[in-house]
Amino acid sequence: MCPLLTETASEDEDSDLAADRSAAEVIDTMAINLPRHVLAPVLEFASVSFHHNNPKYREAAVTSLGVISEGCCEHLKDKLEDCLKIVLEALKDQEQMVRGAASFALGQFAEHLQPEILSHYESVLPCILNALEDPSDEVKEKSYYALAAFCEDMGEDILPYLDPLICRLVMSLQSSPRNLQETCMSAIGSVAAAAEQAFTPYAEKVLEMMKGFMVLTNDEDLCARARATEVVGIVAMAVGRGRVEAILPPFIEAAISGFGLDYSELREYTHGFFSNVAEILGDSFTQYLPHVVPLVFSSCNLDDGSAVDIDDADSVDNGFGGVSSDDDVNDEPRVRNISVRTGGNTSYACYTVLNIYIKTMTEDDDKEVVAQACMSVADIVKDCGFAAIEPCKLHCPVTSWPQNIGLCCIVVKKYPFCVSDMLRLAEVTLILLRQESSCQQVESDGEDDGDIDHDEVLMDAVSDLLPAFAKVMGSYFDPIFAKLFDPLMKFAKIMPLVLKELASSDATNRRNAAFCVGEICKNGGAAALKYYGEILRSLHNLFSNSESDDAVRDNAAGAIARMIMVQPQSIPLNQVLPVFIKALPLKEDHEESMPVYSCVCSLLLSSHPQILPLVPDVIHVFAQVVVSPDESDEVKTNIGKAVSHLISVYGQQMQPILSALPPAHANALAAFASKR
């Protein structure tokens, strides 16, 4: 296949049928499916052909490296330095076709060989800057693509290059033809995302330039308008609310008016813009909701088949004999996907929004869209905080779930999550876990890696719903989780996913994972037992000094308590209890108080031999709990009963322990112990 990359298509030959293009597509497919077998021969071909006198061979050499970068990414990372030498040298080639192929390959590297390629920024960025001055518009366009892909994740490493980059990009934006302006704007957005606050000195000029693009209405200009809309949202996120709030209204108005132009890509980028602006402005975005929410809903309800004619869709040429892109045929699912994200970020979980999400989760046939709907529901619940549960006389129409839950209503911020809404979401979750939703019934011509990836993304998102629901509903979630548990455990990846999140760099993820693993153990019975050892090892890390988040540690304690309560014989209590008790009292998440202190009290009331040596430490913890205004009387009463039991059984031994307490603590503890 590689020698075919050197073929030159005749002028009257269909470019889609050209030998070089077809060879590139075959090599790309082979790299994705057989990476180990593809890498060595392609590297050999590239190394030899790069020194060939014929520029078509040099072009083919760097193109082959770019083509395999996605499929062979893990193996290519080990050879990255050698491959970069070839590509960066090709950027200086006297032949335009070679420089164009090199800029394409560099863009592919930047996209698929993250994060390893970022360590080479000192050699890569100057070469890209030089390529932006190339006399060929084709080379420039591909260099903008490479720059956008490379810069996005650079972070503060981009700062030394920020001024020359922005100066070059702004000049290009002012003087380039439309197609180059579009890719140039994409690069500006990536630079802003990487630079964050350091982009502030350039924000005003860039935004003023974007304003001109956001009023374009001719069909041939709408792609540029879409890119400009995206850039405004990115720049606003980068520099922050204080810098842009006053100047955003005309941009928001332009974005809203753009919906009337009925252009799919503009819709997509406008939803991303609304998502960013809603996050920046917070409650100040409320004034725009009457205008934005109907637009979001209209995109959520798009019909895949009505807006895109696949046969007539323009192909996307991403460079040499390109590996074809199927973005066009996926336009409508992508727009629905972005729309669902926009709805989630507003955090206004009204009844209509839930209806949209539920309809999407059950009826949409695109797994990525359904996954995004699931993540948005979870985000709404988490972003609105841990809800208070208030009793109300609400008849629950969902008869297939336990009726006793119908007497509560979960209130989140301004809008009520009524239990009927939660039960509807729980039923939808059950449908997804059983793989009975519309998107899970769509048959493909054969299960490929893409299908498997989409399945994993979807089930990851479904799994994220459970800890979010549990946090909102508290103990009321127990009977619902019991109904979800069997299908959940049949999806064998749930426990590995939760265990992975226990080591997440994000504290919220660790916190939710700790809670989730405790609930799984509580309800999982024998099916969860085989994971106990791995769970305990993972939770142990959350009790170490390296864990800086108190809520994470509190939820880890809650998980340990649930495990002890259901399977005490499966826990090495002599090792676990000292660590567990040392983490008490709970410091932030007092919703875990009842399971945690009930577990300790149960061990004390049964005079369990492993808890008795720890009684002095336990009494010290109990004394702090009973004087805490954050703890409920129910928790304190249970502690009083346990202390009373200890005094009655171990009277003389308890006196020195109680006497060592501060007087206020001792008196409070005695008061609750006497209520027995």
Short mmCIF file of all heavy atoms in Angstrom, two decimals, residues 432-482:
data_model
loop_
_atom_site.label_atom_id
_atom_site.label_comp_id
_atom_site.label_asym_id
_atom_site.label_seq_id
_atom_site.Cartn_x
_atom_site.Cartn_y
_atom_site.Cartn_z
N LEU A 432 -31.97 1.57 30.14
CA LEU A 432 -30.63 1.63 29.57
C LEU A 432 -29.74 0.50 30.09
O LEU A 432 -28.95 -0.08 29.34
CB LEU A 432 -29.99 2.99 29.88
CG LEU A 432 -30.57 4.17 29.09
CD1 LEU A 432 -30.18 5.49 29.74
CD2 LEU A 432 -30.09 4.14 27.64
N LEU A 433 -29.85 0.20 31.38
CA LEU A 433 -29.06 -0.89 31.94
C LEU A 433 -29.44 -2.24 31.34
O LEU A 433 -28.61 -3.12 31.19
CB LEU A 433 -29.23 -0.93 33.47
CG LEU A 433 -28.53 0.18 34.26
CD1 LEU A 433 -28.92 0.12 35.72
CD2 LEU A 433 -27.02 0.07 34.12
N ARG A 434 -30.71 -2.37 30.99
CA ARG A 434 -31.17 -3.59 30.33
C ARG A 434 -30.90 -3.59 28.83
O ARG A 434 -31.24 -4.53 28.14
CB ARG A 434 -32.68 -3.77 30.58
CG ARG A 434 -33.02 -4.15 32.01
CD ARG A 434 -34.53 -4.18 32.20
NE ARG A 434 -34.90 -4.68 33.52
CZ ARG A 434 -36.12 -4.60 34.05
NH1 ARG A 434 -37.10 -4.00 33.34
NH2 ARG A 434 -36.38 -5.07 35.25
N GLN A 435 -30.34 -2.49 28.34
CA GLN A 435 -30.01 -2.33 26.92
C GLN A 435 -31.25 -2.44 26.05
O GLN A 435 -31.25 -3.07 25.00
CB GLN A 435 -28.94 -3.34 26.50
CG GLN A 435 -27.66 -3.21 27.32
CD GLN A 435 -26.52 -4.02 26.78
OE1 GLN A 435 -26.22 -3.98 25.60
NE2 GLN A 435 -25.87 -4.77 27.66
N GLU A 436 -32.32 -1.77 26.50
CA GLU A 436 -33.59 -1.82 25.79
C GLU A 436 -34.00 -0.48 25.19
O GLU A 436 -35.10 -0.33 24.66
CB GLU A 436 -34.70 -2.29 26.76
CG GLU A 436 -34.51 -3.70 27.28
CD GLU A 436 -35.49 -4.07 28.37
OE1 GLU A 436 -36.26 -3.17 28.81
OE2 GLU A 436 -35.52 -5.25 28.78
N SER A 437 -33.12 0.54 25.27
CA SER A 437 -33.48 1.85 24.71
C SER A 437 -33.32 1.82 23.19
O SER A 437 -32.70 0.90 22.62
CB SER A 437 -32.60 2.94 25.31
OG SER A 437 -31.28 2.81 24.82
N SER A 438 -33.84 2.85 22.53
CA SER A 438 -33.81 2.90 21.06
C SER A 438 -32.38 2.85 20.52
O SER A 438 -32.10 2.14 19.55
CB SER A 438 -34.50 4.17 20.56
OG SER A 438 -35.87 4.16 20.89
N CYS A 439 -31.47 3.58 21.16
CA CYS A 439 -30.11 3.62 20.63
C CYS A 439 -29.40 2.28 20.76
O CYS A 439 -28.43 2.01 20.05
CB CYS A 439 -29.30 4.72 21.33
SG CYS A 439 -28.91 4.39 23.07
N GLN A 440 -29.88 1.44 21.67
CA GLN A 440 -29.26 0.12 21.86
C GLN A 440 -29.88 -0.95 20.99
O GLN A 440 -29.44 -2.10 21.00
CB GLN A 440 -29.35 -0.27 23.34
CG GLN A 440 -28.53 0.63 24.25
CD GLN A 440 -28.92 0.52 25.71
OE1 GLN A 440 -30.10 0.57 26.05
NE2 GLN A 440 -27.94 0.37 26.58
N GLN A 441 -30.92 -0.57 20.23
CA GLN A 441 -31.58 -1.52 19.34
C GLN A 441 -31.14 -1.34 17.90
O GLN A 441 -31.48 -2.14 17.04
CB GLN A 441 -33.10 -1.36 19.42
CG GLN A 441 -33.67 -1.46 20.82
CD GLN A 441 -33.23 -2.71 21.55
OE1 GLN A 441 -33.34 -3.82 21.01
NE2 GLN A 441 -32.70 -2.54 22.75
N VAL A 442 -30.39 -0.25 17.63
CA VAL A 442 -29.97 0.02 16.26
C VAL A 442 -28.91 -0.98 15.86
O VAL A 442 -27.89 -1.15 16.53
CB VAL A 442 -29.40 1.46 16.13
CG1 VAL A 442 -28.89 1.70 14.72
CG2 VAL A 442 -30.49 2.46 16.49
N GLU A 443 -29.14 -1.68 14.76
CA GLU A 443 -28.21 -2.69 14.30
C GLU A 443 -27.19 -2.07 13.37
O GLU A 443 -27.49 -1.19 12.57
CB GLU A 443 -28.96 -3.81 13.55
CG GLU A 443 -29.90 -4.61 14.44
CD GLU A 443 -30.55 -5.75 13.69
OE1 GLU A 443 -30.20 -5.94 12.50
OE2 GLU A 443 -31.40 -6.44 14.28
N SER A 444 -25.96 -2.51 13.51
CA SER A 444 -24.90 -2.06 12.59
C SER A 444 -24.49 -3.22 11.72
O SER A 444 -24.88 -4.37 11.92
CB SER A 444 -23.70 -1.54 13.39
OG SER A 444 -23.16 -2.58 14.18
N ASP A 445 -23.67 -2.92 10.72
CA ASP A 445 -23.24 -3.96 9.79
C ASP A 445 -22.26 -4.93 10.45
O ASP A 445 -21.89 -5.93 9.89
CB ASP A 445 -22.56 -3.32 8.56
CG ASP A 445 -23.56 -2.49 7.77
OD1 ASP A 445 -24.75 -2.82 7.82
OD2 ASP A 445 -23.13 -1.53 7.10
N GLY A 446 -21.83 -4.63 11.61
CA GLY A 446 -20.88 -5.46 12.34
C GLY A 446 -20.28 -4.64 13.43
O GLY A 446 -20.02 -3.46 13.26
N GLU A 447 -20.04 -5.23 14.56
CA GLU A 447 -19.55 -4.46 15.71
C GLU A 447 -18.08 -4.16 15.53
O GLU A 447 -17.24 -5.04 15.52
CB GLU A 447 -19.78 -5.24 17.00
CG GLU A 447 -19.56 -4.39 18.23
CD GLU A 447 -19.92 -5.12 19.50
OE1 GLU A 447 -19.16 -6.05 19.87
OE2 GLU A 447 -20.93 -4.79 20.13
N ASP A 448 -17.77 -2.88 15.31
CA ASP A 448 -16.37 -2.48 15.17
C ASP A 448 -15.93 -1.74 16.43
O ASP A 448 -16.68 -1.61 17.39
CB ASP A 448 -16.16 -1.62 13.93
CG ASP A 448 -17.04 -0.36 13.95
OD1 ASP A 448 -17.50 0.02 15.04
OD2 ASP A 448 -17.24 0.22 12.87
N ASP A 449 -14.69 -1.24 16.38
CA ASP A 449 -14.16 -0.54 17.56
C ASP A 449 -15.00 0.68 17.91
O ASP A 449 -15.17 1.01 19.08
CB ASP A 449 -12.71 -0.11 17.30
CG ASP A 449 -11.76 -1.30 17.31
OD1 ASP A 449 -12.18 -2.36 17.83
OD2 ASP A 449 -10.64 -1.18 16.80
N GLY A 450 -15.54 1.36 16.86
CA GLY A 450 -16.37 2.52 17.13
C GLY A 450 -17.61 2.18 17.89
O GLY A 450 -18.02 2.89 18.82
N ASP A 451 -18.26 1.05 17.52
CA ASP A 451 -19.46 0.63 18.23
C ASP A 451 -19.14 0.33 19.69
O ASP A 451 -19.88 0.70 20.60
CB ASP A 451 -20.05 -0.64 17.58
CG ASP A 451 -20.58 -0.34 16.18
OD1 ASP A 451 -21.10 0.76 15.97
OD2 ASP A 451 -20.46 -1.22 15.31
N ILE A 452 -18.02 -0.36 19.91
CA ILE A 452 -17.64 -0.72 21.28
C ILE A 452 -17.34 0.54 22.09
O ILE A 452 -17.76 0.67 23.24
CB ILE A 452 -16.40 -1.66 21.24
CG1 ILE A 452 -16.79 -2.99 20.59
CG2 ILE A 452 -15.87 -1.89 22.65
CD1 ILE A 452 -15.62 -3.90 20.32
N ASP A 453 -16.63 1.49 21.47
CA ASP A 453 -16.33 2.75 22.17
C ASP A 453 -17.60 3.47 22.56
O ASP A 453 -17.72 3.99 23.67
CB ASP A 453 -15.47 3.65 21.28
CG ASP A 453 -14.05 3.13 21.13
OD1 ASP A 453 -13.66 2.27 21.94
OD2 ASP A 453 -13.35 3.57 20.20
N HIS A 454 -18.58 3.52 21.65
CA HIS A 454 -19.84 4.21 21.94
C HIS A 454 -20.59 3.50 23.05
O HIS A 454 -21.21 4.14 23.90
CB HIS A 454 -20.70 4.29 20.68
CG HIS A 454 -20.15 5.21 19.64
ND1 HIS A 454 -20.56 5.21 18.33
CD2 HIS A 454 -19.19 6.17 19.71
CE1 HIS A 454 -19.90 6.13 17.65
NE2 HIS A 454 -19.06 6.72 18.47
N ASP A 455 -20.55 2.16 23.05
CA ASP A 455 -21.20 1.41 24.13
C ASP A 455 -20.57 1.76 25.48
O ASP A 455 -21.27 1.93 26.48
CB ASP A 455 -21.08 -0.10 23.87
CG ASP A 455 -22.00 -0.57 22.76
OD1 ASP A 455 -22.99 0.12 22.49
OD2 ASP A 455 -21.72 -1.62 22.15
N GLU A 456 -19.24 1.84 25.50
CA GLU A 456 -18.55 2.14 26.75
C GLU A 456 -18.86 3.55 27.23
O GLU A 456 -19.09 3.78 28.41
CB GLU A 456 -17.04 1.96 26.56
CG GLU A 456 -16.62 0.50 26.39
CD GLU A 456 -15.13 0.34 26.26
OE1 GLU A 456 -14.43 1.37 26.15
OE2 GLU A 456 -14.65 -0.81 26.26
N VAL A 457 -18.88 4.51 26.29
CA VAL A 457 -19.21 5.89 26.66
C VAL A 457 -20.62 5.95 27.23
O VAL A 457 -20.87 6.61 28.25
CB VAL A 457 -19.08 6.82 25.44
CG1 VAL A 457 -19.67 8.19 25.73
CG2 VAL A 457 -17.61 6.96 25.03
N LEU A 458 -21.55 5.26 26.59
CA LEU A 458 -22.93 5.28 27.05
C LEU A 458 -23.06 4.67 28.43
O LEU A 458 -23.68 5.25 29.33
CB LEU A 458 -23.81 4.52 26.05
CG LEU A 458 -25.28 4.34 26.46
CD1 LEU A 458 -25.95 5.69 26.68
CD2 LEU A 458 -26.03 3.53 25.41
N MET A 459 -22.46 3.50 28.65
CA MET A 459 -22.62 2.84 29.94
C MET A 459 -21.85 3.55 31.04
O MET A 459 -22.27 3.54 32.20
CB MET A 459 -22.19 1.37 29.83
CG MET A 459 -23.07 0.54 28.89
SD MET A 459 -24.85 0.78 29.12
CE MET A 459 -25.10 0.09 30.74
N ASP A 460 -20.75 4.21 30.68
CA ASP A 460 -20.07 5.07 31.67
C ASP A 460 -21.01 6.17 32.14
O ASP A 460 -21.11 6.47 33.34
CB ASP A 460 -18.83 5.71 31.05
CG ASP A 460 -17.66 4.75 30.96
OD1 ASP A 460 -17.80 3.61 31.43
OD2 ASP A 460 -16.62 5.14 30.40
N ALA A 461 -21.72 6.77 31.17
CA ALA A 461 -22.63 7.86 31.51
C ALA A 461 -23.80 7.37 32.34
O ALA A 461 -24.22 8.03 33.29
CB ALA A 461 -23.13 8.53 30.23
N VAL A 462 -24.34 6.20 31.99
CA VAL A 462 -25.44 5.63 32.76
C VAL A 462 -24.99 5.35 34.19
O VAL A 462 -25.71 5.61 35.16
CB VAL A 462 -25.96 4.34 32.09
CG1 VAL A 462 -27.01 3.66 32.97
CG2 VAL A 462 -26.57 4.66 30.72
N SER A 463 -23.78 4.83 34.32
CA SER A 463 -23.25 4.53 35.66
C SER A 463 -23.09 5.78 36.50
O SER A 463 -23.25 5.75 37.72
CB SER A 463 -21.89 3.81 35.53
OG SER A 463 -22.01 2.62 34.79
N ASP A 464 -22.77 6.91 35.85
CA ASP A 464 -22.61 8.17 36.58
C ASP A 464 -23.92 8.67 37.18
O ASP A 464 -23.91 9.49 38.11
CB ASP A 464 -22.04 9.26 35.65
CG ASP A 464 -20.57 9.05 35.37
OD1 ASP A 464 -19.93 8.29 36.11
OD2 ASP A 464 -20.06 9.65 34.40
N LEU A 465 -25.04 8.22 36.63
CA LEU A 465 -26.34 8.66 37.15
C LEU A 465 -26.57 8.16 38.58
O LEU A 465 -27.19 8.85 39.39
CB LEU A 465 -27.48 8.14 36.26
CG LEU A 465 -27.65 8.81 34.90
CD1 LEU A 465 -28.64 8.01 34.06
CD2 LEU A 465 -28.12 10.24 35.06
N LEU A 466 -26.09 6.97 38.87
CA LEU A 466 -26.46 6.32 40.13
C LEU A 466 -25.97 7.07 41.37
O LEU A 466 -26.75 7.33 42.29
CB LEU A 466 -25.99 4.87 40.13
CG LEU A 466 -26.53 4.03 38.96
CD1 LEU A 466 -26.10 2.58 39.12
CD2 LEU A 466 -28.03 4.12 38.85
N PRO A 467 -24.67 7.42 41.46
CA PRO A 467 -24.25 8.17 42.65
C PRO A 467 -24.93 9.53 42.74
O PRO A 467 -25.19 10.02 43.85
CB PRO A 467 -22.73 8.31 42.48
CG PRO A 467 -22.45 8.01 41.06
CD PRO A 467 -23.51 7.08 40.60
N ALA A 468 -25.23 10.14 41.59
CA ALA A 468 -25.93 11.44 41.63
C ALA A 468 -27.32 11.28 42.21
O ALA A 468 -27.76 12.05 43.07
CB ALA A 468 -25.98 12.04 40.22
N PHE A 469 -28.06 10.28 41.74
CA PHE A 469 -29.39 10.02 42.28
C PHE A 469 -29.34 9.70 43.76
O PHE A 469 -30.16 10.17 44.55
CB PHE A 469 -30.05 8.84 41.55
CG PHE A 469 -30.41 9.12 40.11
CD1 PHE A 469 -30.80 8.09 39.28
CD2 PHE A 469 -30.37 10.40 39.60
CE1 PHE A 469 -31.13 8.33 37.95
CE2 PHE A 469 -30.70 10.66 38.28
CZ PHE A 469 -31.08 9.61 37.45
N ALA A 470 -28.37 8.86 44.13
CA ALA A 470 -28.28 8.44 45.52
C ALA A 470 -28.03 9.62 46.45
O ALA A 470 -28.59 9.70 47.55
CB ALA A 470 -27.16 7.40 45.68
N LYS A 471 -27.19 10.57 46.02
CA LYS A 471 -26.90 11.72 46.85
C LYS A 471 -28.13 12.59 47.05
O LYS A 471 -28.34 13.18 48.10
CB LYS A 471 -25.76 12.54 46.24
CG LYS A 471 -24.38 12.02 46.60
CD LYS A 471 -24.16 12.08 48.10
CE LYS A 471 -22.77 11.60 48.48
NZ LYS A 471 -22.61 11.54 49.94
N VAL A 472 -28.95 12.68 46.01
CA VAL A 472 -30.14 13.50 46.11
C VAL A 472 -31.20 12.84 46.98
O VAL A 472 -31.83 13.47 47.81
CB VAL A 472 -30.72 13.78 44.70
CG1 VAL A 472 -32.11 14.37 44.80
CG2 VAL A 472 -29.82 14.73 43.95
N MET A 473 -31.38 11.54 46.81
CA MET A 473 -32.50 10.85 47.47
C MET A 473 -32.14 10.28 48.83
O MET A 473 -33.02 9.92 49.60
CB MET A 473 -33.02 9.74 46.56
CG MET A 473 -33.53 10.24 45.21
SD MET A 473 -34.37 8.97 44.25
CE MET A 473 -35.91 8.85 45.16
N GLY A 474 -30.84 10.14 49.09
CA GLY A 474 -30.45 9.58 50.39
C GLY A 474 -30.99 8.18 50.58
O GLY A 474 -30.95 7.33 49.69
N SER A 475 -31.55 7.92 51.76
CA SER A 475 -32.06 6.59 52.08
C SER A 475 -33.24 6.19 51.20
O SER A 475 -33.53 5.00 51.06
CB SER A 475 -32.47 6.53 53.56
OG SER A 475 -33.52 7.46 53.81
N TYR A 476 -33.93 7.16 50.61
CA TYR A 476 -35.04 6.84 49.74
C TYR A 476 -34.58 6.16 48.44
O TYR A 476 -35.39 5.64 47.69
CB TYR A 476 -35.83 8.10 49.39
CG TYR A 476 -36.54 8.71 50.58
CD1 TYR A 476 -35.96 9.75 51.29
CD2 TYR A 476 -37.78 8.22 51.00
CE1 TYR A 476 -36.60 10.30 52.39
CE2 TYR A 476 -38.42 8.77 52.09
CZ TYR A 476 -37.82 9.81 52.78
OH TYR A 476 -38.46 10.36 53.87
N PHE A 477 -33.28 6.24 48.18
CA PHE A 477 -32.76 5.61 46.97
C PHE A 477 -32.60 4.10 47.14
O PHE A 477 -32.50 3.37 46.15
CB PHE A 477 -31.41 6.24 46.61
CG PHE A 477 -30.83 5.74 45.31
CD1 PHE A 477 -31.48 5.96 44.11
CD2 PHE A 477 -29.62 5.06 45.28
CE1 PHE A 477 -30.95 5.51 42.91
CE2 PHE A 477 -29.07 4.62 44.10
CZ PHE A 477 -29.74 4.85 42.91
N ASP A 478 -32.58 3.61 48.37
CA ASP A 478 -32.31 2.20 48.62
C ASP A 478 -33.22 1.26 47.83
O ASP A 478 -32.73 0.35 47.14
CB ASP A 478 -32.39 1.89 50.12
CG ASP A 478 -31.19 2.42 50.87
OD1 ASP A 478 -30.25 2.91 50.20
OD2 ASP A 478 -31.18 2.36 52.10
N PRO A 479 -34.56 1.40 47.91
CA PRO A 479 -35.40 0.46 47.16
C PRO A 479 -35.26 0.62 45.66
O PRO A 479 -35.44 -0.36 44.92
CB PRO A 479 -36.82 0.80 47.63
CG PRO A 479 -36.74 2.17 48.19
CD PRO A 479 -35.37 2.32 48.75
N ILE A 480 -34.95 1.81 45.19
CA ILE A 480 -34.74 2.00 43.76
C ILE A 480 -33.45 1.30 43.33
O ILE A 480 -33.40 0.60 42.32
CB ILE A 480 -34.67 3.50 43.42
CG1 ILE A 480 -36.05 4.14 43.61
CG2 ILE A 480 -34.17 3.73 42.01
CD1 ILE A 480 -36.08 5.62 43.33
N PHE A 481 -32.39 1.49 44.13
CA PHE A 481 -31.11 0.87 43.79
C PHE A 481 -31.23 -0.65 43.81
O PHE A 481 -30.61 -1.33 42.98
CB PHE A 481 -30.03 1.32 44.77
CG PHE A 481 -28.65 0.84 44.38
CD1 PHE A 481 -28.01 1.40 43.30
CD2 PHE A 481 -28.04 -0.17 45.09
CE1 PHE A 481 -26.75 0.96 42.93
CE2 PHE A 481 -26.79 -0.62 44.73
CZ PHE A 481 -26.13 -0.05 43.64
N ALA A 482 -32.03 -1.18 44.72
CA ALA A 482 -32.22 -2.63 44.78
C ALA A 482 -32.79 -3.15 43.46
O ALA A 482 -32.43 -4.23 42.99
CB ALA A 482 -33.15 -2.99 45.93
#
